[in-house]
Amino acid sequence: MAEDVSSTHKRGGDEAQHAGRKAGNPIGSLDFLRPRYPHNIHPALVPGISVDEQRRHYGLDRVVFAVAGTLTVAFVVWGVLSPSSVSEVASAAFSWTTANLGWLFNAVATVVLAVLLWLALSRYGKIPLGKDGETPEFSTFSWVAMLFAAGLGIGVLFWGPAEPLAYFVNPPPRTVEAESVEAMHQALAQTYYHWGFHAWAMYALVGGAVAYVGYRRGRALLMSSIFRHLFGKRQTEGFAGKLVDIFAIIATLFGTAAALGIAALQIGQGVTVVSGVSELTNTVLVGIIGVLTICFVLSAVSGVARGIRYLSNINIILTLGIVGVMFILGPTLFLLNILPSAIMEYVGSLFDLMARSASWGEETREFQSTWTVYYWAWWISWSPFVGIFIARISRGRTIRQFILGVIFIPSALLFVAYGTMGATAIWMYREGRPGFSDSMAPPEVLFTLVDNLPFAEWLPLVIMVVLAIFFITSADSASVVMGILTTRGSQDPPKVVVIFWGLVMSGIAVVMLLIGSTSALAGLQSLVIVTAVPFAVVMILIIFAWFRELRSDPYILRAQYAQIAVSNAVREGVHKYGDDFGLQVVETDPGRGAGAETDSECQEYTEWYQRTNAEGEPVGFDYETGEWADGWDPVTGQIRIVPAQATEDAETGEDERSTTEGVRRHDDSPQPATSVPPGGAPVNDGGAVKGTRR
């Protein structure tokens, strides 16, 4: 008997030392009685960590702010002093980028959509974007409203009627005959392609990754936080991480500024309709941007920005109301027929649309440069802003709910909105309604359409109000996100920083307008493509970084253990007892349990949930009670007076309390586990589910 105990003791010690060597900690492994997991909790049982539970110092990141701010302010000054040279440089950079890197944007759009759909349907889709058991913070309606307002906003009313009409009059090369029935359906399908699944997949990738590392892993809501496992902690907090955040800020600034410029053009066109002014000058457009910027600044200073949820709800109701008015007062029967057909045309031609590239000839390359590549670049530019924004409103949803919701729900709303406005514009053009021609500028199409609707004299005013709200909410949201990126992830960045980025955005939009006419604005939007190139590469890296994080998630660990344990138990039960067996959790010899194939002590599994103080020093923490060993109170942010023993625990980073029965025992005596945590996982690496006779 003594010999058996001694043998078991020795075997356990050998196993502990072997596990320590695998974990890269040979000295600590010599004492196998020491807890091998942070805070004495197995990585499969960690419920997750939210960013607001962590202790960290927020403040202005001088490097990120100085580099991004200097570059963008210098651009604004350059544009004001010499707009012609800006136009020349933008044109040259655009031509080179589309000729040499157009394939990159097409590849990113396709790969991101395919990967996310697979991710949503895989076992990773059940992982929550938050702690175990958390529920969504916002209702589905409010969530969709904020998604819609942030992700599309201004573009719905600007391009909704104009883009399908443009494709109807001038179809993509090598497709259909202009102004034919086929061209009508193809025009809507092409529009859906640019604004549908691919666009929202890019938002979902960035938003899902940021939400995961922020609300599941407890890191700051920064783009750089996604790359902790890929770059390493030192590089993520150093040069590589700062470079990613700078790229995100620059891409967001130009992408959002282009949208603000579009809003100014559309509102300006509304001013001409309402006031009867025949010509809209750049001075008036700059004035419109100035007035809306003042509204944004007042919103940021007064704290009204907290009501962005309600503004978003109002806007989606008004936008859908405008679309509904067009549906009822427009060619209703025609719309009822074409909307389902257009959606099916989009779905049926999706692979054909994705297959087009510069290899189809110079005409196709020019079309893609003007439309498809530009849109992919625009969505990539918007993805840091929209991604971080939707990450903040998506806490508590599973990855599957998040991805499928972000990709398909706004797309469905968009199909109806764009189909209604675009098909109505095409119908009026075919019918020869007043004001429609084959050379209309995009801002003119919406108000010309409204002018041809009966009983809709009041609608232009409502449209301008909606556009103004879109401008303010977009500027507000984007400025807050850039404030987060420049203050090390603070979810409440200083107002002065938020206002600074809002003014820079407006300045870039003004530079675009100072170039000249509407076509000049569209030409300068080519800068969106140029500035999006670095972030297109970042998007691919995000895929690898996020997958690496998900592989070591507690839910995945539990699922792996459950699969192995149940599979082994069923085989053993059938072999020994036939049909008459049940399952029971018991302890096994080291290396023979459900976690035999998993090195649960390696840093990939354990490093992330070690709690630290604001200086990054390890502090004891009880995951069962939520208490910090040094007495820190997360509500007050103060450290309470604690016993001396707790202070010693805080210094060593260990917590002597046993927080869960799932922690592996480190003494010599066998201690069979008596419970299974949520998810059906074995409670420790050495545990197994064995078959027993009923």
Side-chain angles (χ1 to χ4, degrees):
M1 183 69 166
E3 182 178 350
D4 292 340
V5 172
S6 175
S7 174
T8 302
H9 186 155
K10 182 178 184 302
R11 185 166 58 250
D14 292 341
E15 289 290 341
Q17 293 185 37
H18 174 65
R21 286 192 294 271
K22 288 196 297 180
N25 186 21
I27 296 178
S29 66
L30 294 178
D31 180 10
F32 60 89
L33 298 179
R34 170 182 290 182
R36 292 171 293 174
Y37 303 119
H39 312 297
N40 227 18
I41 182 172
H42 192 286
L45 301 179
V46 179
I49 308 172
S50 173
V51 60
D52 49 26
E53 295 177 349
Q54 294 285 53
R55 298 164 62 176
R56 57 167 52 91
H57 290 307
Y58 295 111
L60 188 67
D61 190 318
R62 298 182 185 276
V63 174
V64 173
F65 183 78
V67 174
T70 300
L71 290 175
T72 51
V73 170
F75 171 81
V76 173
V77 173
W78 177 28
V80 171
L81 297 179
S82 181
S84 60
S85 62
V86 173
S87 181
E88 291 175 5
V89 172
S91 178
F94 168 78
S95 298
W96 185 91
T97 303
T98 54
N100 295 279
L101 296 177
W103 62 269
L104 175 63
F105 293 104
N106 286 324
V108 169
T110 301
V111 169
V112 168
L113 177 61
V115 167
L116 285 193
L117 291 178
W118 177 86
L119 177 62
L121 300 177
S122 71
R123 61 178 180 173
Y124 298 112
K126 294 183 179 180
I127 299 175
L129 297 176
K131 299 173 64 176
D132 291 345
E134 270 194 275
T135 56
E137 183 178 1
F138 298 102
S139 68
T140 301
F141 180 82
S142 294
W143 184 58
V144 172
M146 287 186 281
L147 285 178
F148 196 76
L152 290 177
I154 295 161
V156 175
L157 296 179
F158 187 90
W159 289 114
E163 188 174 342
L165 181 60
Y167 299 146
F168 177 70
V169 176
N170 297 294
R174 300 177 182 272
T175 54
V176 294
E177 181 183 351
E179 301 187 22
S180 63
V181 173
E182 292 80 8
M184 181 171 58
H185 293 82
Q186 179 68 29
L188 291 175
Q190 186 75 45
T191 303
Y192 292 165
Y193 177 54
H194 291 157
W195 292 80
F197 302 152
H198 289 77
W200 289 97
M202 296 184 201
Y203 297 158
L205 173 64
V206 176
V210 170
Y212 177 80
V213 298
Y215 299 122
R216 183 74 170 168
R217 297 277 184 164
R219 298 180 205 146
L221 295 178
L222 296 171
M223 292 303 306
S224 54
S225 296
I226 301 171
F227 300 97
R228 178 75 168 266
H229 275 182
L230 199 63
F231 293 165
K233 180 179 180 180
R234 182 176 178 181
Q235 284 299 321
T236 300
E237 297 176 355
F239 174 77
K242 294 182 187 299
L243 195 61
V244 168
D245 290 334
I246 290 170
F247 285 157
I249 290 172
I250 292 175
T252 299
L253 274 172
F254 281 89
T256 310
L260 300 186
I262 285 175
L265 281 172
Q266 191 75 81
I267 293 173
Q269 186 65 35
V271 171
T272 63
V273 171
V274 174
S275 64
V277 177
S278 60
E279 184 178 354
L280 191 67
T281 64
N282 279 340
T283 303
V284 176
L285 292 175
V286 172
I288 292 172
I289 290 182
V291 171
L292 294 176
T293 301
I294 291 173
C295 294
F296 150 71
V297 171
L298 292 175
S299 168
V301 171
S302 64
V304 177
R306 296 177 183 175
I308 190 171
R309 169 185 173 185
Y310 303 104
L311 287 176
S312 300
N313 288 348
I314 291 171
N315 243 23
I316 194 173
I317 292 172
L318 290 177
T319 302
L320 294 178
I322 291 171
V323 173
V325 168
M326 292 181 184
F327 186 87
I328 294 171
L329 300 181
T332 306
L333 183 59
F334 172 75
L335 294 175
L336 287 172
N337 281 285
I338 196 173
L339 287 180
S341 298
I343 293 173
M344 295 308 298
E345 177 71 20
Y346 164 62
V347 174
S349 62
L350 190 57
F351 287 99
D352 178 59
L353 292 167
M354 290 191 292
R356 294 178 196 162
S357 66
S359 63
W360 282 47
E362 182 61 24
E363 290 183 345
T364 300
R365 189 191 73 80
E366 290 180 2
F367 176 86
Q368 290 241 318
S369 299
T370 304
W371 293 104
T372 307
V373 172
Y374 167 67
Y375 274 124
W376 296 161
W378 202 2
W379 306 144
I380 290 172
S381 295
W382 266 46
S383 63
F385 148 47
V386 180
I388 292 178
F389 179 78
I390 64 176
R392 296 176 70 199
I393 64 175
S394 302
R395 179 174 179 174
R397 300 184 183 275
T398 65
I399 289 178
R400 180 171 299 158
Q401 292 171 339
F402 176 85
I403 291 176
L404 298 181
V406 170
I407 291 178
F408 292 110
I409 295 178
S411 293
L413 292 174
L414 179 142
F415 294 160
V416 174
Y418 273 51
T420 299
M421 291 187 286
T424 301
I426 292 173
W427 182 84
M428 289 183 175
Y429 175 85
R430 295 177 69 194
E431 294 292 317
R433 293 300 177 89
F436 280 92
S437 69
D438 58 2
S439 59
M440 297 177 69
E444 299 175 10
V445 179
L446 174 63
F447 290 103
T448 303
L449 184 157
V450 171
D451 191 49
N452 281 279
L453 292 176
F455 316 112
E457 296 81 6
W458 50 272
L459 201 52
L461 289 174
V462 177
I463 290 172
M464 287 191 288
V465 170
V466 171
L467 289 168
I469 295 176
F470 272 138
F471 185 107
I472 294 170
T473 54
S474 295
D476 206 331
S477 302
S479 299
V480 168
V481 166
M482 287 184 288
I484 291 172
L485 292 172
T486 49
T487 55
R488 298 187 175 91
S490 172
Q491 297 190 61
D492 187 21
K495 289 182 173 60
V496 65
V497 176
V498 173
I499 293 172
F500 170 80
W501 289 121
L503 294 176
V504 172
M505 267 192 300
S506 297
I508 294 175
V510 167
V511 169
M512 292 178 174
L513 294 173
L514 287 177
I515 297 300
S517 62
T518 303
S519 60
L521 174 62
L524 192 56
Q525 286 172 0
S526 59
L527 280 174
V528 172
I529 294 180
V530 178
T531 55
V533 170
F535 208 77
V537 177
V538 172
M539 295 280 282
I540 297 298
L541 293 177
I542 289 174
I543 295 175
F544 292 101
W546 194 13
F547 268 96
R548 188 164 180 179
E549 296 275 3
L550 294 175
R551 282 169 45 198
S552 60
D553 187 86
Y555 175 86
I556 297 301
L557 268 178
R558 294 197 297 267
Q560 290 174 353
Y561 284 12
Q563 182 178 6
I564 295 173
V566 172
S567 176
N568 291 343
V570 169
R571 290 177 179 274
E572 183 177 351
V574 172
H575 175 70
K576 290 184 176 180
Y577 310 115
D579 296 339
D580 301 317
F581 74 94
L583 302 181
Q584 178 184 6
V585 178
V586 298
E587 188 173 31
T588 69
D589 292 332
R592 297 178 60 85
E597 299 177 5
T598 302
D599 183 7
S600 63
E601 298 169 60
C602 72
Q603 289 189 351
E604 184 176 359
Y605 291 115
T606 61
E607 182 268 339
W608 68 276
Y609 67 89
Q610 169 64 64
R611 295 301 187 94
T612 64
N613 58 22
E615 284 70 37
E617 300 167 342
V619 178
F621 182 80
D622 189 328
Y623 274 92
E624 190 172 72
T625 64
E627 296 179 357
W628 294 79
D630 63 355
W632 186 74
D633 186 350
V635 177
T636 63
Q638 303 295 322
I639 296 180
R640 301 188 303 269
I641 298 177
V642 296
Q645 181 60 45
T647 304
E648 292 179 10
D649 294 342
E651 293 175 352
T652 61
E654 298 177 3
D655 193 339
E656 294 300 328
R657 289 184 295 269
S658 175
T659 60
T660 174
E661 294 182 23
V663 177
R664 175 188 283 177
R665 306 287 181 170
H666 297 288
D667 55 15
D668 298 340
S669 58
Q671 298 285 347
T674 58
S675 64
V676 180
V683 293
N684 57 59
D685 284 358
V689 182
K690 289 192 174 182
T692 57
R693 186 184 299 276
R694 284 202 301 260

